[in-house]
Amino acid sequence: MSNLATMQQSATESVPAESLALLDAFPLPAALVDRHGQIRYVNRAWQGGHPAGFYPGAMYVRACARHMETNADGIAGLEDAIRHVRAGKQEGFAAVFPCPAENGRVRVNITPARLGGFDGVLVTHQTVSPAAESDDRRRRQAEKMEAVGRLVGGVAHDFANLLTLISGYSELMLNRMEPEEPLRKELEEIRKAANRGSRLTAQLLGFTRGQAVEPKILDLNGLIRDMQNMLRPIIGEYVELTTDLAPDLGRIKADPGQMEQVIMNLVLNARDAMPSGGRIGIETANIELNDREAAAHEVAAGPYVVLSFCDTGQGMDSQTMSHLFEPFFTTKEKGKGTGLGLSTVYGIVKQNRGDVWARSVPGEGTTFTICLPRLEPSGENAEPAAASRASAKGTETILLVEDEEGVRRLLKHILSRQGYTVLEADGGRAALELLAGHQGPIHLLLTDMVMPHINGREVAQRCMQMRPGTRVIYMSGYTDDVLLRTGALGPGMSFLQKPLRPDVLTGKVREVLDGPGAQV
């Protein structure tokens, strides 16, 4: 019998044979360590790949100190972990240490082990490659973003309804006032505050990917050119804005408002990184991502449009970069930023099956790069980046379905003033009863998406069965409906994102009534 086998046998006479057999079958290097920190048993995986210093009879922590780049704090942490786990004060311990002997880093796990007469800890070692560690970090980041997104999305839903009321009633009152009215200035400030709140809600929804969107075929070059006149005054006279736009740039399919939001957020972020002035460069290009490149960015391989924002600002260190797209993380002073701009960009880009990443050097500036799927060439033309439609009066009958009483009352008031006959229902059940009992025509169904018992989509489907040809507009503050979450909106499907402004509401109603029948 070999010396190792003799030591193994004498050290583990109190451990059931079945337990040792299971330990030997375990694929990771594993060892039993007693209450004094002495290695009592090592399994086959440990024997086959671990340095010679880890053997039965050796002191585990001392062996770690020799073979891993573990500082004094790390050694003390391992000793404490063994002591605490052994005493039952915690369920387990896990940490990653540099280890040249293992050609990278080692994840150490320590858990209680009470096997027959043995009472100590089970230690496992797992080599962590740089790629695996990066994947693990990315997975944890995605899980954290998703959890925060669910919380933020629920808050945004209620916030959108409140802002609809504030914005709507202030707009109505301003329309009734003469320019010289004493209270007009104060009311305009209320409206401005509501509009700022609406933009904040849009950022929240963009981050959560819970925003109702209407994807259109877009020319990003055209969108950037249209926004330049608006961007230049915002960034200030000490910041130069340049563009280098690929003349043959392919088209993408995305919501125009969302893409404007992405461009605005990244330009403002670059401006804030250059308090003493500098240059912001916006570039576009066509690229093809192969399987390896696509996997690195967690997208499908194929053709993409690339949009880059390069600034000559302060740059960022690696610590800041690691938190870059987290919601509410900001390097700005208190009151100077919400920390939602970059997380909003992240949410919108991911919702559109793309990726966003950054490269930065402290003192030398930062470049943000976005890739979005490129459409195959076809006869379809890009739609306008933004469409302004003036509201107009009408005489049609509208069925309004909204479970929030205040919002329902406001929308009825706005539409009635435009000449429409408005039938109101406080939920899906009431809407179906009204559809069955109303004798006259119903030209348009305007319904919230998220309601108790029967949601807006079910109401629309039943409405089309009972009254074919009825046009439909969905409203949403925030929803988990798969239709909106994926952005898969069919032709003729119309949406209004809360918070609603009166002119946007009446313009959309007129557009849908004058257009082709809605599909549900």
Side-chain angles (χ1 to χ4, degrees):
M1 184 179 290
S2 68
N3 289 338
L4 175 60
T6 302
M7 287 188 289
Q8 295 260 81
Q9 182 177 0
S10 62
T12 56
E13 290 175 349
S14 58
V15 180
E18 298 85 355
S19 299
L20 295 181
L22 286 172
L23 201 58
D24 275 333
F26 193 61
L28 294 180
L32 293 175
V33 178
D34 66 19
R35 67 177 64 193
H36 305 296
Q38 188 178 54
I39 299 175
R40 299 287 299 278
Y41 185 85
V42 293
N43 71 351
R44 290 191 182 124
W46 189 292
Q47 295 172 35
H50 251 48
F54 293 100
Y55 54 82
M59 299 302 292
Y60 171 70
V61 173
R62 195 176 299 161
C64 285
R66 282 199 302 269
H67 292 283
M68 298 183 192
E69 293 178 353
T70 316
N71 57 25
D73 290 340
I75 292 296
L78 285 172
E79 291 173 336
D80 288 344
I82 292 174
R83 189 161 49 249
H84 289 173
V85 172
R86 233 287 313 154
K89 292 183 180 178
Q90 61 186 44
E91 292 184 359
F93 167 88
V96 177
F97 298 104
C99 185
E102 294 298 315
N103 192 28
R105 292 160 69 85
V106 168
R107 179 178 287 109
V108 176
N109 290 280
I110 301 175
T111 55
R114 292 171 180 85
L115 306 170
F118 176 81
D119 187 7
V121 297
L122 172 67
V123 175
T124 62
H125 285 188
Q126 181 179 9
T127 303
V128 182
S129 69
E133 198 169 6
S134 175
D135 289 344
D136 193 41
R137 242 189 342 261
R138 196 157 45 223
R139 178 185 55 77
R140 289 197 303 270
Q141 176 74 356
E143 289 172 350
K144 180 166 59 176
M145 298 279 272
E146 184 179 352
V148 176
R150 285 195 297 269
L151 172 64
V152 168
V155 173
H157 176 225
D158 292 337
F159 196 35
N161 281 332
L162 293 173
L163 286 170
T164 294
L165 295 172
I166 297 170
S167 177
Y169 280 116
S170 61
E171 192 80 38
L172 290 175
M173 292 175 70
L174 283 168
N175 290 340
R176 295 180 185 177
M177 284 185 171
E178 297 297 328
E180 65 277 4
E181 284 271 1
L183 293 178
R184 186 176 182 89
K185 184 176 180 181
E186 286 84 352
L187 197 55
E188 284 176 343
E189 289 301 318
I190 294 174
R191 180 178 64 176
K192 288 178 185 177
N195 289 339
R196 286 197 297 272
S198 297
R199 288 194 293 272
L200 180 59
T201 304
Q203 288 185 323
L204 288 168
L205 292 169
F207 161 67
T208 64
R209 305 182 222 174
Q211 200 169 9
V213 295
E214 289 190 80
K216 302 179 186 298
I217 298 172
L218 285 182
D219 172 16
L220 273 180
N221 285 350
L223 188 67
I224 293 166
R225 292 189 189 102
D226 288 346
M227 293 185 68
Q228 276 185 278
N229 290 336
M230 176 180 64
L231 291 172
R232 291 187 190 280
I234 292 174
I235 62 177
E237 57 183 313
Y238 298 108
V239 176
E240 179 188 6
L241 179 65
T242 65
T243 59
D244 183 6
L245 309 179
D248 59 342
L249 191 70
R251 303 296 194 249
I252 65 169
K253 191 162 189 178
D255 180 87
Q258 281 193 331
M259 295 315 302
E260 288 176 356
Q261 200 174 349
V262 165
I263 294 168
M264 178 69 75
N265 282 350
L266 288 174
V267 167
L268 293 182
N269 197 71
R271 178 205 64 184
D272 293 342
M274 300 182 291
S276 302
R279 182 180 64 82
I280 302 173
I282 303 177
E283 298 181 11
T284 60
N286 296 316
I287 64 167
E288 296 276 343
L289 293 182
N290 59 33
D291 289 338
R292 181 182 57 80
E293 294 166 333
H297 295 294
E298 298 182 325
V299 295
Y304 284 82
V305 166
V306 169
L307 175 62
S308 298
F309 298 79
C310 180
D311 68 61
T312 58
Q314 300 167 336
M316 295 175 283
D317 58 25
S318 58
Q319 178 66 18
T320 301
M321 293 280 286
S322 67
H323 298 286
L324 206 53
F325 298 112
E326 293 180 9
F328 312 115
F329 173 79
T330 179
T331 58
K332 299 173 186 175
E333 299 174 28
K334 187 176 181 180
K336 297 293 185 180
T338 63
L340 281 170
L342 292 179
S343 62
T344 298
V345 170
Y346 176 90
I348 290 173
V349 172
K350 288 297 183 182
Q351 185 177 6
N352 285 281
R353 298 178 294 114
D355 193 26
V356 55
W357 62 93
R359 290 185 177 86
S360 187
V361 176
E364 296 184 17
T366 301
T367 298
F368 282 90
T369 305
I370 293 169
C371 69
L372 294 165
R374 187 169 84 235
L375 296 178
E376 295 298 332
S378 69
E380 295 180 280
N381 295 318
E383 299 185 37
S388 58
R389 301 178 180 90
S391 59
K393 293 183 178 295
T395 58
E396 292 89 346
T397 298
I398 298 173
L399 172 55
L400 169 63
V401 189
E402 168 62 63
D403 60 324
E404 289 286 339
E405 182 181 0
V407 175
R408 187 175 67 252
R409 223 170 27 232
L410 170 64
L411 300 186
K412 180 180 180 180
H413 180 66
I414 293 170
L415 294 170
S416 298
R417 283 173 57 87
Q418 291 296 109
Y420 300 105
T421 299
V422 181
L423 310 174
E424 56 178 315
D426 61 3
R429 290 174 179 170
L432 295 179
E433 290 174 5
L434 202 153
L435 280 166
H438 182 70
Q439 299 301 313
I442 295 178
H443 302 94
L444 173 70
L445 171 66
L446 175 61
T447 179
D448 193 28
M449 283 292 295
V450 181
M451 297 181 294
H453 308 303
I454 302 176
N455 64 36
R457 185 150 172 76
E458 292 176 280
V459 171
Q461 289 170 335
R462 294 283 295 278
C463 177
M464 291 299 291
Q465 292 170 3
M466 299 165 68
R467 294 170 177 264
T470 303
R471 317 296 172 86
V472 178
I473 300 177
Y474 295 116
M475 299 179 292
S476 174
Y478 171 81
T479 178
D480 265 341
D481 186 279
V482 69
L483 180 71
L484 303 187
R485 191 169 64 244
T486 61
L489 309 183
M493 288 181 171
S494 295
F495 286 83
L496 281 170
Q497 180 70 57
K498 293 178 180 177
L500 299 176
R501 289 204 333 258
D503 59 330
V504 174
L505 169 66
T506 53
K508 175 63 76 174
V509 165
R510 194 67 259 160
E511 173 197 339
V512 172
L513 285 171
D514 291 339
Q519 298 183 9
V520 296

